[in-house]
């Protein structure tokens, strides 16, 4: 498949949809396979965002009044930001497999990795619920 071009004024940026799809597959596989790390990262990002936002308020009353809405917004922002390291690692996995094997192998192995990591995550959650 040929890349299409995103026109940004005088610049034409090539975008390869196959590379985006393969990187997304690998990112999803890594996110599912390393979900405890993703949960830890979300928790740390929420703590950091709450701490950083605390310095913006001068009165304690205003800070406490808007606390629930801010913490919910920070949780949402942290969950979105936690995807970025996995996107970078997924892009790296796709690039290395594309260089080592071929583009079709990268996509095929990405699909297998998503299925395998999804089954692993389901088993991990089932094992955790059986302990409780």
């Amino acid at each position: 498949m040929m890349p299409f071009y995103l026109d940004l004024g005088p610049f034409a940026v090539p975008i390869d949809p196959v590379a985006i799809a393969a990187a997304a597959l690998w990112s999803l596989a890594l996110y599912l396979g390393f979900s405890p790390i993703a949960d830890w990262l979300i928790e740390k990002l929420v703590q950091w965002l709450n701490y950083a936002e605390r310095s913006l308020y001068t009165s304690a009353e205003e800070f406490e009044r808007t606390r629930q809405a801010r913490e919910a917004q920070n949780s949402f922002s942290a969950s979105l930001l936690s995807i970025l390291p996995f996107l970078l690692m997924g892009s790296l996995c796709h690039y290395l497999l594309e260089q080592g094997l071929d583009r079709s192998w990268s996509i095929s192995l990405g699909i297998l990795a998503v299925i395998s990591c999804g089954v692993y995550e389901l088993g991990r959650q089932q094992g955790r619920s059986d302990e409780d």
Side-chain angles (χ1 to χ4, degrees), residues 12 93 109:
C93 287
L109 289 175

PDB file of all heavy atoms in Angstrom, residues 12 93 109:
ATOM      1  N   ALA A  12       4.574  18.381   2.541  1.00  0.00           N
ATOM      2  CA  ALA A  12       3.769  17.190   2.331  1.00  0.00           C
ATOM      3  C   ALA A  12       4.408  16.070   3.154  1.00  0.00           C
ATOM      4  O   ALA A  12       5.508  15.615   2.852  1.00  0.00           O
ATOM      5  CB  ALA A  12       3.712  16.810   0.863  1.00  0.00           C
ATOM      6  N   CYS A  93       9.114  -1.894  18.058  1.00  0.00           N
ATOM      7  CA  CYS A  93       8.954  -3.322  17.734  1.00  0.00           C
ATOM      8  C   CYS A  93       8.619  -3.503  16.256  1.00  0.00           C
ATOM      9  O   CYS A  93       9.182  -4.372  15.584  1.00  0.00           O
ATOM     10  CB  CYS A  93       7.857  -3.948  18.591  1.00  0.00           C
ATOM     11  SG  CYS A  93       8.302  -4.193  20.298  1.00  0.00           S
ATOM     12  N   LEU A 109       2.840 -11.078  13.307  1.00  0.00           N
ATOM     13  CA  LEU A 109       3.303 -11.313  14.673  1.00  0.00           C
ATOM     14  C   LEU A 109       2.650 -10.347  15.657  1.00  0.00           C
ATOM     15  O   LEU A 109       2.436 -10.691  16.819  1.00  0.00           O
ATOM     16  CB  LEU A 109       4.826 -11.197  14.745  1.00  0.00           C
ATOM     17  CG  LEU A 109       5.596 -12.327  14.073  1.00  0.00           C
ATOM     18  CD1 LEU A 109       7.089 -12.045  14.106  1.00  0.00           C
ATOM     19  CD2 LEU A 109       5.285 -13.651  14.728  1.00  0.00           C
TER      20      LEU A 109
END
